[in-house]
Amino acid sequence: MDKLYPQDHLLKQFIDYYWVIDRNNPVVKYGHTIFDFPSLSPELVIGLNGSFTITYKGASKVIRESTVFAFIDDKISIDISSVKQLIVVRFRSLGLAAFMPFALSDVNRLRQHAIVPAQPIMSPSLAHLEKHLDFANPPNLVDQLDAWFKKQYQCNKGDFLSDLSAEINPLMSVRHLSTLTGLSYSTLERRFKQESALSPKQFLMLNRFRLAVEAIPSASETDWFDLVVNFGYYDQNHFI
């Protein structure tokens, strides 16, 4: 199992890595948790030349097409003994929003289901990419993936949330967001719901929680009060 990294500087803002899994490790115990879409980091799973089996919350499902892990809140097992190779594309926070035409998709499906087919919500050219990926040559594989994602980004340039993400901080209110963007609340709400199926308030709450959760591993037990206050919570009970 190898992790390959985007070489394009633009894509590094949105994609953490490409994880290549082959039959040498037929069953992957996948422990990563994806709490919510799109505030955290969904993943695109591309299976080639066969099917793979996902076991999640006691239920198993055979998958024969590229899939998006949208809302994973428990451990998941992936059996790839019937597929030649598998790629997991790990997106950074808000990264997927830079590549997907959300206005044309039913974004609510990604928030309501753990695992959804990729084709209805990604570019139709994904099928062409799957057929031509060169696994024998890792640098060429990265170049192919980089080129495809960069094209999707250019096609969907102007995505509101991905452009705004660097400006959002954990203490930001909807009023501050409206001032920052120069948009009325109704326009702001429409743009947020197009790309995330969330209201601005819901999005800011989830984003604040995400940032707080990411800070926890580096905090000692005595840092809890300072931690929650720094992220705009009144006290530990408010955070809980």
Side-chain angles (χ1 to χ4, degrees):
M1 296 185 288
D2 296 317
K3 288 182 180 178
L4 307 174
Y5 297 90
Q7 297 303 298
D8 185 274
H9 291 297
L10 170 69
L11 296 182
K12 288 178 181 179
Q13 301 175 53
F14 307 111
I15 298 174
D16 194 2
Y17 56 75
Y18 307 123
W19 186 20
V20 182
I21 309 171
D22 58 33
R23 287 175 178 167
N24 292 328
N25 296 277
V27 179
V28 179
K29 297 296 183 180
Y30 193 72
H32 185 77
T33 300
I34 301 170
F35 293 100
D36 194 29
F37 172 87
S39 298
L40 292 188
S41 308
E43 297 174 347
L44 171 65
V45 182
I46 304 174
L48 302 178
N49 301 324
S51 61
F52 55 99
T53 301
I54 294 176
T55 301
Y56 178 64
K57 292 189 173 180
S60 296
K61 183 178 181 180
V62 177
I63 307 291
R64 295 183 173 83
E65 57 190 344
S66 293
T67 300
V68 173
F69 285 5
F71 189 104
I72 305 297
D73 60 356
D74 201 352
K75 291 183 179 180
I76 189 168
S77 174
I78 309 174
D79 182 343
I80 64 167
S81 56
S82 298
V83 67
K84 184 177 180 179
Q85 282 156 321
L86 196 75
I87 298 177
V88 177
V89 181
R90 172 68 177 169
F91 296 97
R92 294 183 179 274
S93 177
L94 298 175
L96 190 58
F99 306 105
M100 293 177 59
F102 288 113
L104 304 178
S105 307
D106 181 4
V107 187
N108 277 304
R109 291 184 64 214
L110 294 175
R111 298 197 63 242
Q112 295 169 356
H113 301 281
I115 301 164
V116 296
Q119 284 291 350
I121 52 178
M122 300 290 286
S123 166
S125 65
L126 178 61
H128 182 269
L129 173 70
E130 294 168 354
K131 292 179 181 178
H132 294 88
L133 285 173
D134 181 8
F135 281 89
N137 186 337
N140 191 38
L141 176 63
V142 170
D143 288 344
Q144 288 176 297
L145 290 166
D146 276 7
W148 188 80
F149 278 109
K150 191 168 185 178
K151 184 175 181 180
Q152 305 318 305
Y153 176 80
Q154 291 169 341
C155 288
N156 295 291
K157 186 66 187 78
D159 292 282
F160 183 65
L161 289 184
S162 58
D163 289 343
L164 190 62
S165 59
E167 306 295 332
I168 298 177
N169 66 65
L171 302 181
M172 182 171 284
S173 67
V174 175
R175 178 178 294 179
H176 290 153
L177 194 58
S178 182
T179 301
L180 175 68
T181 59
L183 300 175
S184 66
Y185 180 80
S186 59
T187 301
L188 200 62
E189 184 175 45
R190 183 174 69 253
R191 297 296 296 273
F192 266 80
K193 288 192 172 181
Q194 279 181 339
E195 294 194 19
S196 71
L198 300 170
S199 70
K201 183 176 180 180
Q202 290 172 322
F203 186 93
L204 291 175
M205 288 176 62
L206 283 169
N207 187 63
R208 177 176 64 166
F209 182 70
R210 173 184 64 83
L211 294 172
V213 168
E214 288 178 351
I216 288 174
S218 61
S220 68
E221 291 183 8
T222 58
D223 291 328
W224 269 95
F225 182 73
D226 289 338
L227 175 70
V228 298
V229 169
N230 288 340
F231 285 93
Y233 296 98
Y234 300 119
D235 51 34
Q236 190 168 335
N237 287 334
H238 182 204
F239 176 69
I240 292 170

